[in-house]
Amino acid sequence: MDKKMKAIKNLRDIYGYGYTEVFTEVTDSVTALHISRTQMNIIQHIYINGSATPSELAEVLNVQKSAITHTVKKLENKKLVTIKENTLINDKRSKLIYMTEDAKTLLEEFLDNILKRIQSDIGELSKEEADKLYTATLTILKYIPGGSKNETRS
């Protein structure tokens, strides 16, 4: 996971309540591109973890596996994900979902929009206040888990 994505994920976790409006506003702009919130959540999860199984996505997003299958198919049609056989386990039916470069570009634009909005909201902070916020955020980030590892992947 790159530093920008980890920072956004953790900022959303830390400041989620205060920035609900920011994430909703930016998510609404992505929805205009016909990318649903669930589709964006799938892309974000794959970006953070490198790949995912449909079962893993269903568990993480707390939705039925059939809904994941349907949503992943839409993402595949939009050329935002690819599906490959999971060669890490001995089950030919098992699949791994990967994001494409187009999805990475979309997600990075999404994250840049969030960062710009947050920066505009805190732009009135003095340099000293901004430095303190940055230091406090780094301290908090040290104690937030980096995500779960799926045992079917190495």
Side-chain angles (χ1 to χ4, degrees):
M1 168 179 13
D2 75 2
K3 288 180 184 178
K4 186 190 312 182
M5 183 62 200
K6 184 174 181 179
I8 286 296
K9 177 189 179 303
N10 291 325
L11 278 172
R12 185 177 57 196
D13 292 343
I14 296 166
Y15 303 113
Y17 292 109
Y19 282 100
T20 299
E21 180 182 323
V22 173
F23 288 101
T24 300
E25 182 179 306
V26 175
T27 300
D28 288 346
S29 70
V30 171
T31 302
L33 300 172
H34 304 289
I35 305 294
S36 70
R37 186 170 296 207
T38 302
Q39 290 173 349
M40 186 57 77
N41 288 339
I42 288 171
I43 292 169
Q44 288 176 343
H45 182 81
I46 294 169
Y47 186 84
I48 290 168
N49 295 287
S51 65
T53 64
S55 297
E56 175 186 348
L57 290 171
E59 182 180 329
V60 168
L61 300 178
N62 196 29
V63 298
Q64 296 290 322
K65 188 175 171 191
S66 60
I68 292 295
T69 301
H70 180 73
T71 304
V72 167
K73 189 66 173 165
K74 285 183 178 183
L75 287 170
E76 188 177 32
N77 289 339
K78 293 175 184 179
K79 306 215 182 308
L80 296 174
V81 299
T82 58
I83 303 170
K84 298 179 182 175
E85 184 179 320
N86 184 354
T87 58
L88 300 174
I89 62 173
N90 192 17
D91 183 352
K92 296 213 181 268
R93 297 172 297 169
S94 180
K95 304 294 179 199
L96 282 175
I97 304 159
Y98 297 89
M99 68 188 304
T100 64
E101 284 300 314
D102 287 346
K104 185 177 179 185
T105 300
L106 174 74
L107 185 59
E108 288 173 351
E109 288 173 6
F110 175 73
L111 297 175
D112 284 342
N113 288 339
I114 290 172
L115 281 175
K116 286 176 189 170
R117 176 62 198 269
I118 291 171
Q119 287 170 346
S120 74
D121 285 350
I122 63 171
E124 295 180 16
L125 294 177
S126 69
K127 170 118 174 68
E128 183 181 335
E129 290 171 324
D131 289 344
K132 285 180 183 178
L133 176 60
Y134 178 77
T135 302
T137 301
L138 289 179
T139 301
I140 292 168
L141 293 178
K142 281 193 236 179
Y143 299 99
I144 295 177
S148 60
K149 285 286 184 189
N150 185 321
E151 294 177 357
T152 62
R153 288 187 272 141
S154 50

